Amino acid sequence: MSSEQKFGAGIWHFATYVDRYATDGYGAPRTVVDAIELAGQVPDLSVVDLNYPFFGGDFTREDIKAALDAQGLEVIGITPEIYTRVFAKGSFTNPDPGVRELAHELITEAADVVRYFGADYVKLWPGQDGWDYPFQVDHGALWKNSIDGVGRLAAENPDLKFVIEYKPREPRVHMSYSSVARTLLGIEKIGLPNVGILLDFGHALFGGESPADSAQLAIDHGRLFGMDVNDNLRGWDDDMVAGTVHPIELFEFFYTLEKNNWKGVWQLDQFPFREDSVAAATSAIDFLKAVQRALAKLDFAAVQEAQDNHDAITALRLAQQALFTSY
């Protein structure tokens, strides 16, 4: 495990939030520049994922770069907002071809922003793509549009990576890219090398998956291009601070990445509604650094031997000793 591991966060971690109860928000509104300034206060945070368009004002790419440079931050990815009101009936799967084209144009703009910042990928979270009711959609047509929409972008931008962040539901009751297996099926159907998965630890939990198993499956198919971590109570995508609820499963997730020599940014996707955003990010990264130390002391050969015998008690004892003595 490299001591130079990079840690990142979605810039939305440092925004303010609303929900259907506190419609006035959990704090004063912040611009993306405000959020970047807060991100710069987190020790060991070096990269951010940016929403596009930039929120909170009329900012140019140059404005954002100046703000990032002032905080010593780089960009890992750009997340186009293809889940807002205009896309209420879907982005790739919208029944209106004009709206589908609008989504394509917005993502194409985001691709140019990726190039400008020298980022790693365009992140696709088509949260409004899917359906809510029986008989609402033609499932064959919906899935075809999901695949064709991503495939067209990847074909037109072969120099860039496109990562799909799957999620079971919310805001749609059934999201089109809902699981690791379904997303891999879609990617294989697209058949292009620059399309992969961004695996959100909490989405895997929420979907009833084992995040470690999901990571292994994506790695085995050569499609794990990025990852986010957070935590939840499995009943909803709570986006809580990483390691607060499922520390052992999070450790197993990183063990799986390390065992497969997967390298990449350890990225936070958290929504600290009521918590101080800088403190929440700092706490999560402190835990991830403990995971890093635990991986360095974990006896991988002994864990493998226990796993070869399906010996849960021995494997868990080794994992618990490594993790709980590293914090």
Side-chain angles (χ1 to χ4, degrees), residues 89-121:
K89 287 191 174 182
S91 51
F92 299 124
T93 65
N94 199 289
D96 184 339
V99 177
R100 295 200 299 270
E101 190 63 26
L102 187 64
H104 180 83
E105 291 169 359
L106 177 59
I107 299 167
T108 300
E109 288 180 22
D112 284 336
V113 178
V114 168
R115 294 184 182 98
Y116 175 80
F117 285 110
D120 288 357
Y121 49 69

mmCIF file of all heavy atoms in Angstrom, residues 89-121:
data_model
loop_
_atom_site.group_PDB
_atom_site.id
_atom_site.type_symbol
_atom_site.label_atom_id
_atom_site.label_comp_id
_atom_site.label_asym_id
_atom_site.label_seq_id
_atom_site.Cartn_x
_atom_site.Cartn_y
_atom_site.Cartn_z
ATOM 1 N N LYS A 89 -38.115 12.924 -16.749
ATOM 2 C CA LYS A 89 -38.536 11.647 -17.340
ATOM 3 C C LYS A 89 -37.360 10.872 -17.910
ATOM 4 O O LYS A 89 -37.562 9.893 -18.645
ATOM 5 C CB LYS A 89 -39.586 11.889 -18.430
ATOM 6 C CG LYS A 89 -40.952 12.288 -17.882
ATOM 7 C CD LYS A 89 -42.012 12.262 -18.976
ATOM 8 C CE LYS A 89 -43.390 12.516 -18.407
ATOM 9 N NZ LYS A 89 -44.438 12.446 -19.454
ATOM 10 N N GLY A 90 -36.152 11.291 -17.552
ATOM 11 C CA GLY A 90 -34.975 10.565 -17.995
ATOM 12 C C GLY A 90 -34.044 11.423 -18.822
ATOM 13 O O GLY A 90 -34.429 12.484 -19.346
ATOM 14 N N SER A 91 -32.816 10.978 -18.915
ATOM 15 C CA SER A 91 -31.817 11.626 -19.773
ATOM 16 C C SER A 91 -31.600 10.746 -20.996
ATOM 17 O O SER A 91 -32.148 11.019 -22.067
ATOM 18 C CB SER A 91 -30.519 11.856 -18.994
ATOM 19 O OG SER A 91 -30.069 10.666 -18.351
ATOM 20 N N PHE A 92 -30.878 9.654 -20.850
ATOM 21 C CA PHE A 92 -30.711 8.710 -21.966
ATOM 22 C C PHE A 92 -32.023 8.037 -22.344
ATOM 23 O O PHE A 92 -32.220 7.646 -23.499
ATOM 24 C CB PHE A 92 -29.684 7.628 -21.614
ATOM 25 C CG PHE A 92 -28.309 8.144 -21.319
ATOM 26 C CD1 PHE A 92 -27.681 7.846 -20.123
ATOM 27 C CD2 PHE A 92 -27.630 8.927 -22.235
ATOM 28 C CE1 PHE A 92 -26.407 8.306 -19.851
ATOM 29 C CE2 PHE A 92 -26.349 9.397 -21.975
ATOM 30 C CZ PHE A 92 -25.742 9.092 -20.767
ATOM 31 N N THR A 93 -32.925 7.879 -21.368
ATOM 32 C CA THR A 93 -34.153 7.114 -21.601
ATOM 33 C C THR A 93 -35.388 7.990 -21.718
ATOM 34 O O THR A 93 -36.511 7.476 -21.711
ATOM 35 C CB THR A 93 -34.370 6.090 -20.474
ATOM 36 O OG1 THR A 93 -34.605 6.790 -19.235
ATOM 37 C CG2 THR A 93 -33.165 5.183 -20.317
ATOM 38 N N ASN A 94 -35.218 9.290 -21.836
ATOM 39 C CA ASN A 94 -36.368 10.178 -21.940
ATOM 40 C C ASN A 94 -37.205 9.824 -23.173
ATOM 41 O O ASN A 94 -36.644 9.552 -24.243
ATOM 42 C CB ASN A 94 -35.896 11.633 -22.030
ATOM 43 C CG ASN A 94 -36.995 12.615 -21.686
ATOM 44 O OD1 ASN A 94 -37.943 12.795 -22.448
ATOM 45 N ND2 ASN A 94 -36.869 13.240 -20.536
ATOM 46 N N PRO A 95 -38.533 9.834 -23.070
ATOM 47 C CA PRO A 95 -39.356 9.522 -24.245
ATOM 48 C C PRO A 95 -39.268 10.581 -25.340
ATOM 49 O O PRO A 95 -39.598 10.297 -26.493
ATOM 50 C CB PRO A 95 -40.775 9.442 -23.675
ATOM 51 C CG PRO A 95 -40.732 10.230 -22.405
ATOM 52 C CD PRO A 95 -39.354 10.040 -21.857
ATOM 53 N N ASP A 96 -38.791 11.770 -25.005
ATOM 54 C CA ASP A 96 -38.648 12.856 -25.975
ATOM 55 C C ASP A 96 -37.229 12.832 -26.551
ATOM 56 O O ASP A 96 -36.256 13.060 -25.830
ATOM 57 C CB ASP A 96 -38.898 14.197 -25.274
ATOM 58 C CG ASP A 96 -38.855 15.387 -26.225
ATOM 59 O OD1 ASP A 96 -38.271 15.272 -27.316
ATOM 60 O OD2 ASP A 96 -39.385 16.453 -25.843
ATOM 61 N N PRO A 97 -37.068 12.538 -27.838
ATOM 62 C CA PRO A 97 -35.727 12.486 -28.414
ATOM 63 C C PRO A 97 -34.988 13.814 -28.305
ATOM 64 O O PRO A 97 -33.750 13.839 -28.261
ATOM 65 C CB PRO A 97 -35.967 12.101 -29.871
ATOM 66 C CG PRO A 97 -37.410 12.377 -30.132
ATOM 67 C CD PRO A 97 -38.108 12.228 -28.832
ATOM 68 N N GLY A 98 -35.741 14.935 -28.249
ATOM 69 C CA GLY A 98 -35.099 16.228 -28.086
ATOM 70 C C GLY A 98 -34.419 16.358 -26.737
ATOM 71 O O GLY A 98 -33.327 16.938 -26.628
ATOM 72 N N VAL A 99 -35.040 15.817 -25.693
ATOM 73 C CA VAL A 99 -34.430 15.856 -24.359
ATOM 74 C C VAL A 99 -33.241 14.901 -24.298
ATOM 75 O O VAL A 99 -32.221 15.210 -23.669
ATOM 76 C CB VAL A 99 -35.472 15.534 -23.274
ATOM 77 C CG1 VAL A 99 -34.818 15.499 -21.888
ATOM 78 C CG2 VAL A 99 -36.596 16.556 -23.294
ATOM 79 N N ARG A 100 -33.359 13.763 -24.963
ATOM 80 C CA ARG A 100 -32.202 12.858 -25.024
ATOM 81 C C ARG A 100 -31.015 13.556 -25.688
ATOM 82 O O ARG A 100 -29.868 13.402 -25.266
ATOM 83 C CB ARG A 100 -32.571 11.578 -25.789
ATOM 84 C CG ARG A 100 -33.639 10.734 -25.104
ATOM 85 C CD ARG A 100 -33.628 9.291 -25.586
ATOM 86 N NE ARG A 100 -33.892 9.127 -27.007
ATOM 87 C CZ ARG A 100 -35.098 8.972 -27.546
ATOM 88 N NH1 ARG A 100 -36.179 8.985 -26.763
ATOM 89 N NH2 ARG A 100 -35.253 8.791 -28.847
ATOM 90 N N GLU A 101 -31.290 14.321 -26.726
ATOM 91 C CA GLU A 101 -30.227 15.049 -27.402
ATOM 92 C C GLU A 101 -29.658 16.140 -26.500
ATOM 93 O O GLU A 101 -28.439 16.389 -26.511
ATOM 94 C CB GLU A 101 -30.740 15.661 -28.706
ATOM 95 C CG GLU A 101 -29.657 16.240 -29.601
ATOM 96 C CD GLU A 101 -28.669 15.198 -30.092
ATOM 97 O OE1 GLU A 101 -29.033 13.998 -30.185
ATOM 98 O OE2 GLU A 101 -27.508 15.579 -30.382
ATOM 99 N N LEU A 102 -30.509 16.760 -25.713
ATOM 100 C CA LEU A 102 -30.045 17.771 -24.762
ATOM 101 C C LEU A 102 -29.076 17.150 -23.747
ATOM 102 O O LEU A 102 -28.049 17.758 -23.403
ATOM 103 C CB LEU A 102 -31.236 18.396 -24.049
ATOM 104 C CG LEU A 102 -30.958 19.582 -23.127
ATOM 105 C CD1 LEU A 102 -30.409 20.768 -23.916
ATOM 106 C CD2 LEU A 102 -32.239 19.981 -22.389
ATOM 107 N N ALA A 103 -29.396 15.959 -23.277
ATOM 108 C CA ALA A 103 -28.498 15.257 -22.356
ATOM 109 C C ALA A 103 -27.164 14.966 -23.037
ATOM 110 O O ALA A 103 -26.090 15.145 -22.441
ATOM 111 C CB ALA A 103 -29.146 13.960 -21.881
ATOM 112 N N HIS A 104 -27.227 14.545 -24.284
ATOM 113 C CA HIS A 104 -25.999 14.260 -25.030
ATOM 114 C C HIS A 104 -25.137 15.515 -25.159
ATOM 115 O O HIS A 104 -23.914 15.467 -24.982
ATOM 116 C CB HIS A 104 -26.347 13.713 -26.412
ATOM 117 C CG HIS A 104 -25.157 13.387 -27.253
ATOM 118 N ND1 HIS A 104 -24.469 12.199 -27.139
ATOM 119 C CD2 HIS A 104 -24.504 14.114 -28.199
ATOM 120 C CE1 HIS A 104 -23.468 12.194 -27.988
ATOM 121 N NE2 HIS A 104 -23.453 13.344 -28.633
ATOM 122 N N GLU A 105 -25.780 16.629 -25.458
ATOM 123 C CA GLU A 105 -25.036 17.882 -25.616
ATOM 124 C C GLU A 105 -24.398 18.320 -24.299
ATOM 125 O O GLU A 105 -23.241 18.782 -24.276
ATOM 126 C CB GLU A 105 -25.966 18.972 -26.143
ATOM 127 C CG GLU A 105 -26.420 18.737 -27.584
ATOM 128 C CD GLU A 105 -27.538 19.678 -28.005
ATOM 129 O OE1 GLU A 105 -27.976 20.506 -27.159
ATOM 130 O OE2 GLU A 105 -27.988 19.585 -29.169
ATOM 131 N N LEU A 106 -25.133 18.176 -23.201
ATOM 132 C CA LEU A 106 -24.589 18.567 -21.903
ATOM 133 C C LEU A 106 -23.388 17.702 -21.528
ATOM 134 O O LEU A 106 -22.360 18.201 -21.041
ATOM 135 C CB LEU A 106 -25.676 18.452 -20.831
ATOM 136 C CG LEU A 106 -25.244 18.763 -19.394
ATOM 137 C CD1 LEU A 106 -24.697 20.180 -19.274
ATOM 138 C CD2 LEU A 106 -26.411 18.551 -18.431
ATOM 139 N N ILE A 107 -23.494 16.401 -21.769
ATOM 140 C CA ILE A 107 -22.385 15.504 -21.438
ATOM 141 C C ILE A 107 -21.194 15.764 -22.357
ATOM 142 O O ILE A 107 -20.035 15.676 -21.924
ATOM 143 C CB ILE A 107 -22.842 14.034 -21.509
ATOM 144 C CG1 ILE A 107 -23.962 13.778 -20.498
ATOM 145 C CG2 ILE A 107 -21.669 13.084 -21.231
ATOM 146 C CD1 ILE A 107 -24.696 12.476 -20.693
ATOM 147 N N THR A 108 -21.460 16.105 -23.600
ATOM 148 C CA THR A 108 -20.368 16.451 -24.521
ATOM 149 C C THR A 108 -19.635 17.699 -24.035
ATOM 150 O O THR A 108 -18.397 17.771 -24.104
ATOM 151 C CB THR A 108 -20.921 16.659 -25.936
ATOM 152 O OG1 THR A 108 -21.554 15.438 -26.377
ATOM 153 C CG2 THR A 108 -19.814 17.032 -26.907
ATOM 154 N N GLU A 109 -20.378 18.683 -23.531
ATOM 155 C CA GLU A 109 -19.739 19.855 -22.924
ATOM 156 C C GLU A 109 -18.891 19.436 -21.723
ATOM 157 O O GLU A 109 -17.765 19.926 -21.533
ATOM 158 C CB GLU A 109 -20.800 20.857 -22.465
ATOM 159 C CG GLU A 109 -21.502 21.611 -23.574
ATOM 160 C CD GLU A 109 -22.528 22.588 -23.009
ATOM 161 O OE1 GLU A 109 -22.407 22.968 -21.821
ATOM 162 O OE2 GLU A 109 -23.460 22.947 -23.759
ATOM 163 N N ALA A 110 -19.430 18.556 -20.909
ATOM 164 C CA ALA A 110 -18.694 18.084 -19.736
ATOM 165 C C ALA A 110 -17.412 17.372 -20.144
ATOM 166 O O ALA A 110 -16.382 17.459 -19.448
ATOM 167 C CB ALA A 110 -19.578 17.159 -18.907
ATOM 168 N N ALA A 111 -17.453 16.667 -21.267
ATOM 169 C CA ALA A 111 -16.250 15.995 -21.758
ATOM 170 C C ALA A 111 -15.147 17.000 -22.060
ATOM 171 O O ALA A 111 -13.967 16.765 -21.765
ATOM 172 C CB ALA A 111 -16.589 15.169 -22.997
ATOM 173 N N ASP A 112 -15.509 18.140 -22.626
ATOM 174 C CA ASP A 112 -14.511 19.183 -22.887
ATOM 175 C C ASP A 112 -13.958 19.757 -21.586
ATOM 176 O O ASP A 112 -12.783 20.135 -21.510
ATOM 177 C CB ASP A 112 -15.113 20.301 -23.740
ATOM 178 C CG ASP A 112 -15.252 19.907 -25.207
ATOM 179 O OD1 ASP A 112 -14.500 19.009 -25.642
ATOM 180 O OD2 ASP A 112 -16.114 20.486 -25.899
ATOM 181 N N VAL A 113 -14.793 19.820 -20.552
ATOM 182 C CA VAL A 113 -14.324 20.292 -19.251
ATOM 183 C C VAL A 113 -13.340 19.283 -18.656
ATOM 184 O O VAL A 113 -12.339 19.662 -18.031
ATOM 185 C CB VAL A 113 -15.511 20.548 -18.300
ATOM 186 C CG1 VAL A 113 -15.020 21.003 -16.930
ATOM 187 C CG2 VAL A 113 -16.447 21.588 -18.892
ATOM 188 N N VAL A 114 -13.603 17.998 -18.836
ATOM 189 C CA VAL A 114 -12.650 16.966 -18.402
ATOM 190 C C VAL A 114 -11.291 17.181 -19.059
ATOM 191 O O VAL A 114 -10.244 17.138 -18.408
ATOM 192 C CB VAL A 114 -13.193 15.554 -18.718
ATOM 193 C CG1 VAL A 114 -12.105 14.494 -18.560
ATOM 194 C CG2 VAL A 114 -14.377 15.227 -17.820
ATOM 195 N N ARG A 115 -11.317 17.440 -20.350
ATOM 196 C CA ARG A 115 -10.057 17.672 -21.064
ATOM 197 C C ARG A 115 -9.351 18.921 -20.523
ATOM 198 O O ARG A 115 -8.135 18.926 -20.344
ATOM 199 C CB ARG A 115 -10.324 17.820 -22.558
ATOM 200 C CG ARG A 115 -10.830 16.555 -23.234
ATOM 201 C CD ARG A 115 -10.974 16.740 -24.738
ATOM 202 N NE ARG A 115 -11.507 15.535 -25.370
ATOM 203 C CZ ARG A 115 -12.783 15.356 -25.684
ATOM 204 N NH1 ARG A 115 -13.677 16.311 -25.443
ATOM 205 N NH2 ARG A 115 -13.183 14.227 -26.246
ATOM 206 N N TYR A 116 -10.122 19.968 -20.272
ATOM 207 C CA TYR A 116 -9.534 21.219 -19.800
ATOM 208 C C TYR A 116 -8.790 21.005 -18.481
ATOM 209 O O TYR A 116 -7.676 21.508 -18.298
ATOM 210 C CB TYR A 116 -10.625 22.273 -19.620
ATOM 211 C CG TYR A 116 -10.128 23.565 -19.008
ATOM 212 C CD1 TYR A 116 -9.475 24.516 -19.785
ATOM 213 C CD2 TYR A 116 -10.293 23.821 -17.647
ATOM 214 C CE1 TYR A 116 -9.003 25.704 -19.228
ATOM 215 C CE2 TYR A 116 -9.841 25.009 -17.079
ATOM 216 C CZ TYR A 116 -9.182 25.932 -17.871
ATOM 217 O OH TYR A 116 -8.714 27.100 -17.308
ATOM 218 N N PHE A 117 -9.404 20.264 -17.559
ATOM 219 C CA PHE A 117 -8.788 20.062 -16.248
ATOM 220 C C PHE A 117 -7.822 18.881 -16.212
ATOM 221 O O PHE A 117 -7.177 18.650 -15.185
ATOM 222 C CB PHE A 117 -9.871 19.856 -15.182
ATOM 223 C CG PHE A 117 -10.591 21.121 -14.804
ATOM 224 C CD1 PHE A 117 -11.918 21.321 -15.154
ATOM 225 C CD2 PHE A 117 -9.945 22.119 -14.095
ATOM 226 C CE1 PHE A 117 -12.594 22.482 -14.795
ATOM 227 C CE2 PHE A 117 -10.602 23.287 -13.738
ATOM 228 C CZ PHE A 117 -11.929 23.468 -14.092
ATOM 229 N N GLY A 118 -7.739 18.134 -17.302
ATOM 230 C CA GLY A 118 -6.881 16.949 -17.292
ATOM 231 C C GLY A 118 -7.386 15.900 -16.320
ATOM 232 O O GLY A 118 -6.589 15.185 -15.689
ATOM 233 N N ALA A 119 -8.706 15.801 -16.194
ATOM 234 C CA ALA A 119 -9.328 14.871 -15.249
ATOM 235 C C ALA A 119 -9.312 13.453 -15.811
ATOM 236 O O ALA A 119 -8.953 13.210 -16.968
ATOM 237 C CB ALA A 119 -10.755 15.316 -14.932
ATOM 238 N N ASP A 120 -9.738 12.510 -14.980
ATOM 239 C CA ASP A 120 -9.680 11.096 -15.358
ATOM 240 C C ASP A 120 -10.890 10.626 -16.150
ATOM 241 O O ASP A 120 -10.769 9.732 -16.982
ATOM 242 C CB ASP A 120 -9.564 10.216 -14.105
ATOM 243 C CG ASP A 120 -8.203 10.302 -13.443
ATOM 244 O OD1 ASP A 120 -7.322 11.010 -13.982
ATOM 245 O OD2 ASP A 120 -8.010 9.678 -12.386
ATOM 246 N N TYR A 121 -12.074 11.204 -15.853
ATOM 247 C CA TYR A 121 -13.274 10.633 -16.477
ATOM 248 C C TYR A 121 -14.456 11.595 -16.433
ATOM 249 O O TYR A 121 -14.476 12.556 -15.671
ATOM 250 C CB TYR A 121 -13.669 9.327 -15.795
ATOM 251 C CG TYR A 121 -13.740 9.368 -14.283
ATOM 252 C CD1 TYR A 121 -14.720 10.092 -13.606
ATOM 253 C CD2 TYR A 121 -12.816 8.660 -13.509
ATOM 254 C CE1 TYR A 121 -14.796 10.110 -12.227
ATOM 255 C CE2 TYR A 121 -12.864 8.678 -12.124
ATOM 256 C CZ TYR A 121 -13.862 9.407 -11.493
ATOM 257 O OH TYR A 121 -13.919 9.433 -10.120
#
